[in-house]
Amino acid sequence: MINPATKGPTEPIASRRVISDKGFTLLLLIPVILVLVSYVLYPSLKTLAESVWMKGEFTLENYKRFFSPESLSNLEALWNSFYISLLSVLLSALIGVPLAFIFNRYDFPGRRFFATAAIMPIVLPPLVGVMSFMFLYGESGLVTRTIQDWFNMDEAPFKLSGVAGILLVHAYTMYVYFYMTVSSAIKGLNPSLEEAATNLGAGRWTVFRRVTLPLLTPALVAASLLVFMTSMASFSAPFLLAGGFRVLSLQIYFSKINGDLDMAATQSVILSVISISFLLVMRWYQGRRDYRVSEKGVSTHRREVSNPWVKWPLVIVGVTGVVFLLLPHITLAILSLVPEGSWTYQTYPTRFSLENYILLMKDPHIWKPIRNSLWMAALATAGNFLFGILTSYVLVKRKFRGKNVLDVMVMLPWSLPATVVAMNMILAFNVPTPFTFGKVLVGTFWILPLAYFIRHIPLVVRSTNAALEQLDDSLEEAARNLGARWFTTFRRVILPIILPGIMAGTLLAFVTAVGEFVSSVMLYTIDNRPISIEIMNQLRMFNLGQAAAYAMYQIILIGVVLLISNRFFGVKAENSL
């Protein structure tokens, strides 16, 4: 029986606490919403307005121009982007899925090394990856010249360009998405399900088709959508290899440099609609069914290959695959040692020295792009670190209406191609606004760190979300009940536990910012040009050794950061997606 004398005083306290919780949630939400509205939503809406607003009137003239049969270049670019993306998904799946099965289902000599080498493309920034393929398979590439020399040909047997070149680069850089997601799904499968089907008389093909494949469907769908979106947004490969071949991301760049900002805005809106549609499909599919089948205490079932007629061909395939995967990295390392002007008509480079690295260290003008990249990436990542923690805490631990809308806004910069994000910023911040404290940001140093910050918000928020979702709420409640204030509880209890998760996203954001090319090429100035822009400049001047040395700095930096994240925070590169 409840004593009325004790019931009365507790109600106002509970009521005050509810109001206090709501007020505190609102206090945390205000800066998050302010940043997202100012730097994510406002620039996107500004681009939309630019595409439908001409001479002070609402009009769809720009969209009529885009879809007009008389202007086939835009429709051609849209179709090319679409079918290149579909072929990229197919090729990436054909490479990534078999590799995931071989390295996670079978045990043979060198398996662990081959499995690690399979994720090596992830340490190649997009521009550097394309450049290394040009050095290998371009008209003057090492492989091309070697074949030409061996068979005494008058002309190069092939050259890396056009659709074939773009697809080769996409397959090399994007199969990792299939490999990682399918590997993760295979490790989570409960082997007793397949064993039960086998014991009931099902053959291997039937078990694969009726049991294994349905359980891998979420991973396959997620990887397909990821590769499709990445391919639609691809810029570096078409930029260097397309020639006359048109894709939509490149059309935005050309419209911008030609001064046709209305059409650039229209193209950006169309590409945004496609990208956001795929993001929403991905979210819908992930929440559609529960495919969790792993159980505690059940480890991955790996079959040892004892038949020598199977084992050694697998080893040979593995060694060949590793050589192919590491060839771009090895080529860049070799060419970075070739002095400027010493490799012209010869089939192979004959002189090697540390001249390019010494120049980078001694000449302040040459060192400046490296310093710019590090400084701008550090600024953006510091912002991502603070904003990511706050946003993630609000999304995971606080209750409020509109949480799904906020979550979509957080993911928006990830779904938008970098070309579109850069275009949004150009159109939004080329005039003074309250969000930029009355200043024009375009053409200043600060535009690039801001672009990096916006692009990488989802990386830190997602990794922090994963850590916070595993944190028991009773820990925070116990600290609060013992008298600790919220900030003390967060600093002394929550932060130490979730720090590895935060650092996983933060370090990934940093290395991605260091290698960022697409937003850089649209927003850089001569004073804040980063490494990727300087690599492009060196390529244009045919200083291949200097360009390779810059690329090696990027690769070494990314490798060091991944090593630190693995050694000190237990973060593996294959878990970073």
Side-chain angles (χ1 to χ4, degrees):
M1 180 177 177
I2 299 172
N3 185 357
T6 58
K7 183 181 176 185
T10 59
E11 283 183 348
I13 292 171
S15 176
R16 283 200 301 272
R17 182 155 188 178
V18 169
I19 293 170
S20 174
D21 279 349
K22 286 183 178 177
F24 183 63
T25 302
L26 185 64
L27 191 67
L28 295 177
L29 266 175
I30 288 173
V32 173
I33 293 175
L34 198 61
V35 170
L36 290 175
V37 168
S38 305
Y39 304 114
V40 177
L41 194 59
Y42 169 71
S44 300
L45 294 177
K46 183 74 177 172
T47 302
L48 177 62
E50 187 79 17
S51 69
V52 296
W53 203 258
M54 290 176 67
K55 299 176 182 176
E57 293 182 356
F58 176 83
T59 175
L60 295 177
E61 186 60 35
N62 289 320
Y63 291 91
K64 289 179 182 174
R65 278 174 59 200
F66 185 96
F67 290 104
S68 168
E70 297 171 359
S71 174
L72 284 176
S73 59
N74 288 318
L75 291 175
E76 184 186 339
L78 181 60
W79 167 245
N80 289 343
S81 297
F82 192 77
Y83 92 79
I84 283 277
S85 301
L86 284 179
L87 289 176
S88 298
V89 170
L90 184 64
L91 289 175
S92 302
L94 286 175
I95 299 172
V97 175
L99 282 181
F101 268 93
I102 290 172
F103 293 144
N104 290 283
R105 278 298 175 91
Y106 301 100
D107 207 358
F108 52 89
R111 183 196 63 81
R112 197 170 286 182
F113 174 73
F114 299 148
T116 305
I119 62 168
M120 287 305 287
I122 205 170
V123 303
L124 278 181
L127 178 67
V128 174
V130 180
M131 188 177 76
S132 62
F133 268 73
M134 289 170 62
F135 289 160
L136 276 169
Y137 310 111
E139 193 169 5
S140 303
L142 283 173
V143 172
T144 317
R145 285 192 182 196
T146 302
I147 294 173
Q148 187 179 355
D149 186 46
W150 281 358
F151 294 96
N152 203 20
M153 296 176 174
D154 294 330
E155 295 181 355
F158 54 81
K159 63 177 182 178
L160 189 75
S161 64
V163 177
I166 294 171
L167 285 176
L168 181 64
V169 173
H170 280 188
Y172 177 82
T173 54
M174 297 178 194
Y175 87 85
V176 183
Y177 297 131
F178 274 96
Y179 176 74
M180 287 183 175
T181 52
V182 175
S183 293
S184 178
I186 290 174
K187 288 173 185 171
L189 288 181
N190 188 340
S192 64
L193 296 173
E194 293 174 321
E195 288 171 4
T198 304
N199 292 336
L200 289 171
R204 285 189 178 183
W205 171 243
T206 305
V207 171
F208 176 78
R209 186 168 54 85
R210 302 291 294 274
V211 179
T212 310
L213 194 58
L215 293 173
L216 294 180
T217 303
L220 292 171
V221 172
S224 301
L225 290 171
L226 200 56
V227 171
F228 190 90
M229 288 169 61
T230 310
S231 181
M232 281 293 289
S234 176
F235 183 87
S236 302
F239 185 69
L240 292 176
L241 301 174
F245 188 75
R246 300 171 188 273
V247 294
L248 198 51
S249 57
L250 214 53
Q251 284 295 102
I252 295 172
Y253 173 73
F254 288 136
S255 296
K256 183 253 178 184
I257 61 174
N258 289 331
D260 192 354
L261 293 183
D262 291 343
M263 182 47 66
T266 309
Q267 291 159 342
S268 298
V269 170
I270 291 170
L271 193 52
S272 300
V273 169
I274 296 171
S275 302
I276 292 170
S277 301
F278 273 89
L279 171 69
L280 296 177
V281 168
M282 185 183 282
R283 284 176 59 86
W284 168 78
Y285 192 83
Q286 284 176 342
R288 183 166 161 256
R289 290 180 65 180
D290 188 359
Y291 283 86
R292 286 176 294 181
V293 292
S294 61
E295 297 173 7
K296 287 184 179 178
V298 178
S299 60
T300 307
H301 179 68
R302 194 170 290 127
R303 195 179 305 158
E304 186 173 352
V305 180
S306 54
N307 186 341
W309 292 101
V310 178
K311 180 168 69 177
W312 293 111
L314 278 177
V315 173
I316 292 170
V317 169
V319 171
T320 309
V322 167
V323 169
F324 176 75
L325 291 171
L326 294 180
L327 211 51
H329 307 73
I330 297 169
T331 304
L332 286 173
I334 293 172
L335 291 187
S336 69
L337 299 173
V338 177
E340 187 181 333
S342 66
W343 184 37
T344 51
Y345 63 90
Q346 302 93 336
T347 305
Y348 314 104
T350 51
R351 285 180 51 202
F352 300 96
S353 74
L354 293 174
E355 181 183 309
N356 294 317
Y357 291 99
I358 294 170
L359 271 175
L360 284 176
M361 299 299 291
K362 285 175 66 176
D363 191 333
H365 179 72
I366 298 177
W367 175 254
K368 191 177 178 182
I370 299 175
R371 190 185 61 197
N372 283 342
S373 279
L374 292 175
W375 178 229
M376 291 189 295
L379 279 175
T381 308
N384 288 134
F385 179 80
L386 297 173
F387 183 74
I389 294 173
L390 179 61
T391 307
S392 182
Y393 181 82
V394 169
L395 282 172
V396 177
K397 295 297 181 186
R398 311 304 297 187
K399 294 179 181 176
F400 58 92
R401 290 183 179 178
K403 187 180 280 192
N404 284 333
V405 176
L406 188 73
D407 196 32
V408 169
M409 282 179 65
V410 167
M411 290 301 292
L412 204 55
W414 180 78
S415 67
L416 295 178
T419 328
V420 173
V421 172
M423 203 62 229
N424 289 351
M425 299 195 67
I426 290 171
L427 294 171
F429 301 132
N430 62 358
V431 292
T433 69
F435 307 126
T436 55
F437 307 102
K439 303 286 185 185
V440 175
L441 281 188
V442 176
T444 69
F445 172 87
W446 299 102
I447 191 75
L448 269 182
L450 182 60
Y452 297 164
F453 166 75
I454 293 168
R455 285 273 296 152
H456 303 139
I457 285 174
L459 291 178
V460 183
V461 173
R462 283 295 163 207
S463 66
T464 310
N465 279 2
L468 274 172
E469 282 166 356
Q470 295 176 1
L471 183 71
D472 193 339
D473 291 342
S474 63
L475 293 174
E476 184 178 354
E477 290 171 5
R480 297 296 301 276
N481 289 338
L482 289 171
R485 292 179 179 275
W486 177 83
F487 185 70
T488 305
T489 304
F490 187 85
R491 184 170 55 85
R492 302 288 295 275
V493 178
I494 300 174
L495 191 58
I497 297 173
I498 65 172
L499 191 60
I502 301 170
M503 292 310 296
T506 304
L507 292 171
L508 190 62
F510 180 77
V511 296
T512 312
V514 169
E516 180 72 36
F517 171 66
V518 183
S519 50
S520 302
V521 77
M522 295 189 70
L523 296 169
Y524 82 98
T525 67
I526 191 66
D527 291 326
N528 70 352
R529 68 187 191 283
I531 300 177
S532 52
I533 297 300
E534 193 56 31
I535 290 174
M536 187 182 68
N537 291 338
Q538 296 297 332
L539 280 178
R540 283 175 174 167
M541 293 187 288
F542 296 100
N543 294 336
L544 304 186
Q546 200 94 78
Y550 274 119
M552 285 307 298
Y553 268 114
Q554 276 191 325
I555 292 173
I556 291 169
L557 188 63
I558 292 170
V560 168
V561 170
L562 291 178
L563 185 67
I564 290 172
S565 63
N566 182 285
R567 181 64 64 87
F568 295 102
F569 301 104
V571 179
K572 294 183 177 180
E574 59 264 35
N575 296 333
S576 56
L577 283 179

